[in-house]
Amino acid sequence: MTDLPRRVRIAEEGPREGFQIAPTPVPTVDKIALIDALSATGVSKLQVASFVSPKRVPGWADADQVVAGFTPKAGVSYTALWFNPQGLQRALTFKDRLTIQGSITVAASEAFSLRNLNRDRAGQLAAMRENIAEHQAAGVPVTRASVQAAFGCNFQGEVTPAHAISAVTDVMTLAAETGCEIERISLADTMGWANPLHIERVVGEVRSRWPDQAVSLHLHDTRGLGIANALAGLRMGVAEFDAAVGGAGGCPFAGHPGAPGNIATEELVLLCEEMGIETGIDVDALIAAGHLAEKVLGRTLPSALLRGGSLTAFRAKARAA
Amino acid sequence: MTDLPRRVRIAEEGPREGFQIAPTPVPTVDKIALIDALSATGVSKLQVASFVSPKRVPGWADADQVVAGFTPKAGVSYTALWFNPQGLQRALTFKDRLTIQGSITVAASEAFSLRNLNRDRAGQLAAMRENIAEHQAAGVPVTRASVQAAFGCNFQGEVTPAHAISAVTDVMTLAAETGCEIERISLADTMGWANPLHIERVVGEVRSRWPDQAVSLHLHDTRGLGIANALAGLRMGVAEFDAAVGGAGGCPFAGHPGAPGNIATEELVLLCEEMGIETGIDVDALIAAGHLAEKVLGRTLPSALLRGGSLTAFRAKARAA
């Protein structure tokens, strides 16, 4: 009845998501400490910085120092974000420490595209064409198709499955024209509009149309349905998720007070592991990293599991009794 | 592929769950105001008080005044809890305002039974036999079979589906012997151990064995999986849920710091309504009641939807644009 994967790969985005909206500046040394704590939990993919304009995202003014400072762990793929040639060049300075791959990103909502990307779809596709050329000139593969606001938009309202498919189609067409080999299609519920049936419809259609690409979900827990949406994704065979420790983060341009965060990595790990799906992540180490994240960010993060704790100690105690 | 119900009935337990663990006493008038706000949201079932020993649960010392004080709304079934003949007699004083029905309750975990009910299974069944006789003598129907700790236990550890089925079997056998017509079988994840596959297995087996009874789920969100577990229940055709506005509450005897609460009613309503399942509840009125609950209880409740807000205003604005 379901298509649950045997193993799920989670891209931990807590550092990048969390630090970009921290109300007070987080010391570089604390950012590095959190990254190193996270790499020790068993995560295989860890997004550690945004190479963006310090004017636009002051929380990442120290991206270069952070990337220079963490201790690389074998088996962990460290990634970063950038949005322009300057950012790419900054990232390339660290090609010995970072996995550097490009994305083609569009928004399924025109209204969100104008606000978040400063261009409509056509303008964004033109910008992406340039962006791809810059990556290719630098020898950087462009492997990810990314659709923002794929399930709804605070500015446009409903985003139908047809809207989302049209956005993926535009990206895949551009990829084919420019010779990019797309490995994964990432669908983002940027503003927390998705519900499980909506996830199933869109993921199902994407998988049918592009069977050779992995589907990755980037879910926000704006309205409490994030983990149910992740479950719907798992049922549709999705084996890659972005998540943020503690449920940190949120897009500062989503026009939403409180900038609600991503689904909490530790809750997604618990969901998977309890259902027999391997993540490779030690949930207790991740919960400890979540408590460190709260200390570093100076605020309580939304994750219920950080409050409730895992089942590990209860199980051990029960076995010993 | 699924057995989603067309309509779900939610029993709102926020007042009973929330007030029993409030750290400072909540004034009676505030309890009544919250009950009246909740009855205006469209909920059809509202648990308003616990007729328990004030020594054991001081937060409900004013149960009689609360029940005497709310304004009954047509179409709303007001319920209460009691655990002994004194409690039943107190409830019966209000039989013009309350829907009075009895339950047969056992725990699927012996360790939890000893701690929460002060008796093992056999002792509890004997006590329930007396309890049923008292209800029948008072002309009160016993219609609900209730299994606590049906999915796991902080003291015993794993609770297997076989444990849960054995508990339901014991209750249904006692019901048959005593002439009780059980209408619903309530399965409680009292300590937040369930995962979606576990819910499916237990609910599936209960529905197969007792096809004439409705299944009701009482889920706690101790570890962030509550709403995913509710989704699993919906897929198995469960059309009755307990929930608490804001995610208030939690069992004070569950041996867990922070007494993590029930799933948040407004998040369950959003989950259902977004998937086209009717609840009869106005999610925005319920969110407003949740904010009132936070004011009355003097603390921030765990619901993400209370922070994020519903989609209603965004949709209206998008339509108007």
Side-chain angles (χ1 to χ4, degrees), chain A residues 18-29:
Chain A
F19 298 141
Q20 75 187 6
I21 58 154
T24 51
V26 177
T28 306
V29 63

mmCIF file with all atom_site columns, all heavy atoms in Angstrom, chain A residues 18-29:
data_model
loop_
_atom_site.group_PDB
_atom_site.id
_atom_site.type_symbol
_atom_site.label_atom_id
_atom_site.label_alt_id
_atom_site.label_comp_id
_atom_site.label_asym_id
_atom_site.label_entity_id
_atom_site.label_seq_id
_atom_site.pdbx_PDB_ins_code
_atom_site.Cartn_x
_atom_site.Cartn_y
_atom_site.Cartn_z
_atom_site.occupancy
_atom_site.B_iso_or_equiv
_atom_site.pdbx_formal_charge
_atom_site.auth_seq_id
_atom_site.auth_comp_id
_atom_site.auth_asym_id
_atom_site.auth_atom_id
_atom_site.pdbx_PDB_model_num
ATOM 1  N N   . GLY A 1 18 ? 19.149 28.726 10.558 1.00 0.00 ? 18 GLY A N   1
ATOM 2  C CA  . GLY A 1 18 ? 19.017 29.345 11.874 1.00 0.00 ? 18 GLY A CA  1
ATOM 3  C C   . GLY A 1 18 ? 19.765 30.658 11.990 1.00 0.00 ? 18 GLY A C   1
ATOM 4  O O   . GLY A 1 18 ? 19.231 31.646 12.510 1.00 0.00 ? 18 GLY A O   1
ATOM 5  N N   . PHE A 1 19 ? 20.988 30.698 11.497 1.00 0.00 ? 19 PHE A N   1
ATOM 6  C CA  . PHE A 1 19 ? 21.811 31.876 11.723 1.00 0.00 ? 19 PHE A CA  1
ATOM 7  C C   . PHE A 1 19 ? 21.374 33.069 10.880 1.00 0.00 ? 19 PHE A C   1
ATOM 8  O O   . PHE A 1 19 ? 21.613 34.203 11.243 1.00 0.00 ? 19 PHE A O   1
ATOM 9  C CB  . PHE A 1 19 ? 23.287 31.548 11.471 1.00 0.00 ? 19 PHE A CB  1
ATOM 10 C CG  . PHE A 1 19 ? 23.829 30.498 12.404 1.00 0.00 ? 19 PHE A CG  1
ATOM 11 C CD1 . PHE A 1 19 ? 24.703 29.523 11.951 1.00 0.00 ? 19 PHE A CD1 1
ATOM 12 C CD2 . PHE A 1 19 ? 23.458 30.486 13.742 1.00 0.00 ? 19 PHE A CD2 1
ATOM 13 C CE1 . PHE A 1 19 ? 25.194 28.554 12.813 1.00 0.00 ? 19 PHE A CE1 1
ATOM 14 C CE2 . PHE A 1 19 ? 23.948 29.512 14.610 1.00 0.00 ? 19 PHE A CE2 1
ATOM 15 C CZ  . PHE A 1 19 ? 24.813 28.539 14.137 1.00 0.00 ? 19 PHE A CZ  1
ATOM 16 N N   . GLN A 1 20 ? 20.708 32.788 9.731  1.00 0.00 ? 20 GLN A N   1
ATOM 17 C CA  . GLN A 1 20 ? 20.354 33.913 8.865  1.00 0.00 ? 20 GLN A CA  1
ATOM 18 C C   . GLN A 1 20 ? 19.283 34.798 9.489  1.00 0.00 ? 20 GLN A C   1
ATOM 19 O O   . GLN A 1 20 ? 19.127 35.946 9.110  1.00 0.00 ? 20 GLN A O   1
ATOM 20 C CB  . GLN A 1 20 ? 19.928 33.438 7.469  1.00 0.00 ? 20 GLN A CB  1
ATOM 21 C CG  . GLN A 1 20 ? 18.547 32.812 7.375  1.00 0.00 ? 20 GLN A CG  1
ATOM 22 C CD  . GLN A 1 20 ? 18.299 32.225 5.985  1.00 0.00 ? 20 GLN A CD  1
ATOM 23 O OE1 . GLN A 1 20 ? 19.179 32.182 5.149  1.00 0.00 ? 20 GLN A OE1 1
ATOM 24 N NE2 . GLN A 1 20 ? 17.088 31.767 5.736  1.00 0.00 ? 20 GLN A NE2 1
ATOM 25 N N   . ILE A 1 21 ? 18.538 34.264 10.450 1.00 0.00 ? 21 ILE A N   1
ATOM 26 C CA  . ILE A 1 21 ? 17.488 35.098 11.051 1.00 0.00 ? 21 ILE A CA  1
ATOM 27 C C   . ILE A 1 21 ? 17.692 35.294 12.551 1.00 0.00 ? 21 ILE A C   1
ATOM 28 O O   . ILE A 1 21 ? 16.800 35.749 13.232 1.00 0.00 ? 21 ILE A O   1
ATOM 29 C CB  . ILE A 1 21 ? 16.081 34.508 10.821 1.00 0.00 ? 21 ILE A CB  1
ATOM 30 C CG1 . ILE A 1 21 ? 15.986 33.090 11.397 1.00 0.00 ? 21 ILE A CG1 1
ATOM 31 C CG2 . ILE A 1 21 ? 15.716 34.518 9.350  1.00 0.00 ? 21 ILE A CG2 1
ATOM 32 C CD1 . ILE A 1 21 ? 14.583 32.699 11.767 1.00 0.00 ? 21 ILE A CD1 1
ATOM 33 N N   . ALA A 1 22 ? 18.857 34.944 13.074 1.00 0.00 ? 22 ALA A N   1
ATOM 34 C CA  . ALA A 1 22 ? 19.088 35.140 14.506 1.00 0.00 ? 22 ALA A CA  1
ATOM 35 C C   . ALA A 1 22 ? 18.939 36.630 14.843 1.00 0.00 ? 22 ALA A C   1
ATOM 36 O O   . ALA A 1 22 ? 19.497 37.477 14.153 1.00 0.00 ? 22 ALA A O   1
ATOM 37 C CB  . ALA A 1 22 ? 20.473 34.635 14.888 1.00 0.00 ? 22 ALA A CB  1
ATOM 38 N N   . PRO A 1 23 ? 18.156 36.945 15.871 1.00 0.00 ? 23 PRO A N   1
ATOM 39 C CA  . PRO A 1 23 ? 17.893 38.349 16.204 1.00 0.00 ? 23 PRO A CA  1
ATOM 40 C C   . PRO A 1 23 ? 19.150 39.090 16.665 1.00 0.00 ? 23 PRO A C   1
ATOM 41 O O   . PRO A 1 23 ? 19.314 40.265 16.386 1.00 0.00 ? 23 PRO A O   1
ATOM 42 C CB  . PRO A 1 23 ? 16.851 38.274 17.314 1.00 0.00 ? 23 PRO A CB  1
ATOM 43 C CG  . PRO A 1 23 ? 16.915 36.878 17.849 1.00 0.00 ? 23 PRO A CG  1
ATOM 44 C CD  . PRO A 1 23 ? 17.446 36.022 16.761 1.00 0.00 ? 23 PRO A CD  1
ATOM 45 N N   . THR A 1 24 ? 20.053 38.391 17.344 1.00 0.00 ? 24 THR A N   1
ATOM 46 C CA  . THR A 1 24 ? 21.321 39.009 17.723 1.00 0.00 ? 24 THR A CA  1
ATOM 47 C C   . THR A 1 24 ? 22.449 38.216 17.053 1.00 0.00 ? 24 THR A C   1
ATOM 48 O O   . THR A 1 24 ? 22.305 37.023 16.832 1.00 0.00 ? 24 THR A O   1
ATOM 49 C CB  . THR A 1 24 ? 21.520 38.986 19.251 1.00 0.00 ? 24 THR A CB  1
ATOM 50 O OG1 . THR A 1 24 ? 21.297 37.653 19.714 1.00 0.00 ? 24 THR A OG1 1
ATOM 51 C CG2 . THR A 1 24 ? 20.538 39.926 19.948 1.00 0.00 ? 24 THR A CG2 1
ATOM 52 N N   . PRO A 1 25 ? 23.550 38.895 16.714 1.00 0.00 ? 25 PRO A N   1
ATOM 53 C CA  . PRO A 1 25 ? 24.623 38.196 15.987 1.00 0.00 ? 25 PRO A CA  1
ATOM 54 C C   . PRO A 1 25 ? 25.145 37.013 16.804 1.00 0.00 ? 25 PRO A C   1
ATOM 55 O O   . PRO A 1 25 ? 25.351 37.123 18.009 1.00 0.00 ? 25 PRO A O   1
ATOM 56 C CB  . PRO A 1 25 ? 25.710 39.265 15.839 1.00 0.00 ? 25 PRO A CB  1
ATOM 57 C CG  . PRO A 1 25 ? 25.045 40.572 16.117 1.00 0.00 ? 25 PRO A CG  1
ATOM 58 C CD  . PRO A 1 25 ? 23.897 40.288 17.032 1.00 0.00 ? 25 PRO A CD  1
ATOM 59 N N   . VAL A 1 26 ? 25.333 35.893 16.123 1.00 0.00 ? 26 VAL A N   1
ATOM 60 C CA  . VAL A 1 26 ? 25.889 34.705 16.773 1.00 0.00 ? 26 VAL A CA  1
ATOM 61 C C   . VAL A 1 26 ? 27.402 34.708 16.533 1.00 0.00 ? 26 VAL A C   1
ATOM 62 O O   . VAL A 1 26 ? 27.837 34.816 15.386 1.00 0.00 ? 26 VAL A O   1
ATOM 63 C CB  . VAL A 1 26 ? 25.262 33.428 16.182 1.00 0.00 ? 26 VAL A CB  1
ATOM 64 C CG1 . VAL A 1 26 ? 25.888 32.184 16.806 1.00 0.00 ? 26 VAL A CG1 1
ATOM 65 C CG2 . VAL A 1 26 ? 23.748 33.431 16.394 1.00 0.00 ? 26 VAL A CG2 1
ATOM 66 N N   . PRO A 1 27 ? 28.208 34.602 17.585 1.00 0.00 ? 27 PRO A N   1
ATOM 67 C CA  . PRO A 1 27 ? 29.665 34.576 17.390 1.00 0.00 ? 27 PRO A CA  1
ATOM 68 C C   . PRO A 1 27 ? 30.079 33.440 16.462 1.00 0.00 ? 27 PRO A C   1
ATOM 69 O O   . PRO A 1 27 ? 29.522 32.343 16.520 1.00 0.00 ? 27 PRO A O   1
ATOM 70 C CB  . PRO A 1 27 ? 30.212 34.346 18.805 1.00 0.00 ? 27 PRO A CB  1
ATOM 71 C CG  . PRO A 1 27 ? 29.109 34.787 19.729 1.00 0.00 ? 27 PRO A CG  1
ATOM 72 C CD  . PRO A 1 27 ? 27.827 34.515 18.997 1.00 0.00 ? 27 PRO A CD  1
ATOM 73 N N   . THR A 1 28 ? 31.059 33.720 15.622 1.00 0.00 ? 28 THR A N   1
ATOM 74 C CA  . THR A 1 28 ? 31.554 32.741 14.655 1.00 0.00 ? 28 THR A CA  1
ATOM 75 C C   . THR A 1 28 ? 31.930 31.426 15.338 1.00 0.00 ? 28 THR A C   1
ATOM 76 O O   . THR A 1 28 ? 31.619 30.338 14.845 1.00 0.00 ? 28 THR A O   1
ATOM 77 C CB  . THR A 1 28 ? 32.780 33.330 13.919 1.00 0.00 ? 28 THR A CB  1
ATOM 78 O OG1 . THR A 1 28 ? 32.397 34.590 13.374 1.00 0.00 ? 28 THR A OG1 1
ATOM 79 C CG2 . THR A 1 28 ? 33.264 32.414 12.816 1.00 0.00 ? 28 THR A CG2 1
ATOM 80 N N   . VAL A 1 29 ? 32.571 31.526 16.489 1.00 0.00 ? 29 VAL A N   1
ATOM 81 C CA  . VAL A 1 29 ? 33.035 30.325 17.182 1.00 0.00 ? 29 VAL A CA  1
ATOM 82 C C   . VAL A 1 29 ? 31.849 29.436 17.593 1.00 0.00 ? 29 VAL A C   1
ATOM 83 O O   . VAL A 1 29 ? 31.949 28.202 17.578 1.00 0.00 ? 29 VAL A O   1
ATOM 84 C CB  . VAL A 1 29 ? 33.917 30.723 18.399 1.00 0.00 ? 29 VAL A CB  1
ATOM 85 C CG1 . VAL A 1 29 ? 33.119 31.511 19.425 1.00 0.00 ? 29 VAL A CG1 1
ATOM 86 C CG2 . VAL A 1 29 ? 34.563 29.511 19.029 1.00 0.00 ? 29 VAL A CG2 1
#
